[in-house]
């Protein structure tokens, strides 16, 4: 069966009319009811990002100025070094082995090495206006890598165009391993290498430079091993040659 729709018994009121006969008026909004005025919405403009080109430009200019200043400093240092060389003509000190005598040399059955070496080294300053200031120097004598004598030279000041004779007595009392001890017992002569390590500064008038390390290595020295009854053996130094190297230490880096 179909549902029947019955009309409502209450009459539907007509929509309200405006007072002047215009379109019907609607209920007031909350702002109109409380007498407030809402602000007009205006979207805020976005802030522009800071200019990057100016920062990059400043960094580039700083790098450019730093590079230019560094180049100028290097150029001035090169000019100063050139002027210094032209005026003073600096030369390295020269060292020569002027004499060596092996007064005693013995290796016991237990490998105990006993030796005594009398060493004379000549140091020459070939410069006309430079004075060398030497610290105490440590001296060691090696034979095929085995240390056969240690000693030292005292500190000294060497004037320009001066020759100084350095003398020292080197001794050894170390215990060698079985192989090195057996090898030294069999030898009748020794090929020696002399190493000198010290620090030297330069004096120019009243100016003194910082002392730097130098190493002197002399090779080509041969000496006979003396027996107990024989006199001390004098080494042959005619073929001896010494090389001088600058020894620099920068932080943990060592340059020779």
């Amino acid at each position: 069966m179909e549902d029947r729709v019955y009309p409502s018994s209450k009459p539907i009121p007509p929509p309200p009319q405006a007072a002047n006969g215009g379109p019907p008026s609607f209920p007031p909004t909350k702002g109109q009811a409380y007498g407030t005025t809402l602000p007009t919405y205006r979207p805020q403009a976005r802030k522009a990002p800071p200019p990057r080109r100016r920062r990059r430009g400043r960094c580039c200019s700083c790098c450019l100025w730093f590079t230019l200043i560094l180049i100028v400093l290097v150029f001035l240092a090169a000019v100063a070094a050139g002027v210094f060389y032209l005026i003073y003509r600096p030369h390295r000190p020269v060292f020569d082995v002027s004499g060596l005598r092996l007064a005693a040399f013995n290796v016991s059955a237990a490998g105990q090495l006993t030796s005594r070496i009398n060493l004379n080294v000549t140091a020459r300053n070939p410069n006309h206006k430079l004075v060398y200031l030497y610290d105490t120097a440590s001296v060691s004598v090696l034979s095929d890598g085995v240390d056969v004598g240690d000693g030292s030279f005292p500190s000294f000041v060497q004037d320009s165009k001066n020759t100084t004779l350095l003398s020292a007595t080197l001794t050894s009392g170390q215990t060698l391993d079985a192989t090195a001890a057996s090898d030294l017992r069999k030898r009748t002569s020794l090929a020696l290498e002399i190493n000198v390590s010290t620090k030297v500064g330069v004096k120019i008038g009243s100016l003194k430079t910082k002392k730097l390390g130098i190493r002197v290595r002399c090779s080509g020295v041969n000496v006979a091993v003396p027996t107990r009854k024989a006199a001390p053996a004098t080494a042959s130094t005619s073929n001896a040659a010494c090389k001088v190297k600058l020894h620099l230490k920068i932080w943990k880096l060592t340059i020779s």
Side-chain angles (χ1 to χ4, degrees):
M1 297 179 60
E2 295 181 359
D3 296 334
R4 294 183 179 181
V5 179
Y6 298 92
S8 176
S9 58
K10 296 181 179 181
I12 299 175
Q17 298 290 332
N20 55 1
S25 61
F26 295 95
T29 61
K30 292 183 179 181
Q32 294 174 352
Y34 293 99
T36 58
T37 303
L38 295 177
T40 305
Y41 173 75
R42 296 180 180 179
Q44 297 182 357
R46 294 183 179 180
K47 295 183 179 180
R52 297 182 180 179
R53 294 184 179 180
R54 293 183 180 179
R55 293 183 179 179
R56 292 180 180 178
R58 291 177 182 176
C59 292
C60 292
S61 61
C62 290
C63 292
L64 179 61
W65 278 109
F66 177 77
T67 304
L68 291 177
I69 293 174
L70 184 62
I71 292 174
V72 171
L73 292 177
V74 172
F75 176 75
L76 293 177
V79 171
V83 173
F84 177 82
Y85 179 80
L86 292 176
I87 295 175
Y88 295 100
R89 298 284 181 175
H91 296 280
R92 292 183 180 183
V94 180
F95 291 84
D96 295 307
V97 179
S98 54
L100 187 147
R101 286 204 317 164
L102 186 58
F105 190 84
N106 181 56
V107 181
S108 66
Q112 183 76 21
L113 172 63
T114 303
S115 65
R116 187 172 71 255
I117 302 172
N118 298 324
L119 176 64
N120 294 326
V121 173
T122 302
R124 292 189 297 110
N125 182 2
N127 297 284
H128 292 273
K129 300 179 180 180
L130 303 182
V131 178
Y132 285 134
L133 310 173
Y134 288 93
D135 282 350
T136 302
S138 61
V139 186
S140 62
V141 177
L142 307 178
S143 178
D144 290 338
V146 179
D147 191 345
V148 296
D150 296 291
S152 62
F153 291 138
S155 59
F156 65 99
V157 177
Q158 191 174 37
D159 293 330
S160 58
K161 303 299 292 184
N162 179 265
T163 300
T164 304
L165 179 63
L166 305 174
S167 301
T169 299
L170 315 179
T171 59
S172 178
Q174 63 175 328
T175 301
L176 306 175
D177 59 77
T179 304
S182 176
D183 183 58
L184 287 179
R185 287 195 203 97
K186 298 177 182 178
R187 294 190 181 184
T188 58
S189 64
L190 300 175
L192 302 179
E193 176 186 309
I194 303 169
N195 294 321
V196 181
S197 179
T198 184
K199 287 186 176 182
V200 60
V202 178
K203 181 180 179 182
I204 309 170
S206 59
L207 177 64
K208 295 181 181 180
T209 65
K210 183 180 179 180
K211 291 184 178 181
L212 301 176
I214 63 169
R215 287 182 176 178
V216 183
R217 179 183 178 185
C218 303
S219 58
V221 180
N222 294 282
V223 63
V225 177
T227 60
R228 294 182 180 180
K229 297 181 180 181
T234 302
S236 172
T237 60
S238 58
N239 296 325
C242 298
K243 295 181 179 180
V244 181
K245 291 185 177 181
L246 191 64
H247 186 70
L248 296 178
K249 189 174 182 179
I250 305 175
W251 290 298
K252 297 182 180 181
L253 179 64
T254 303
I255 303 174
S256 298

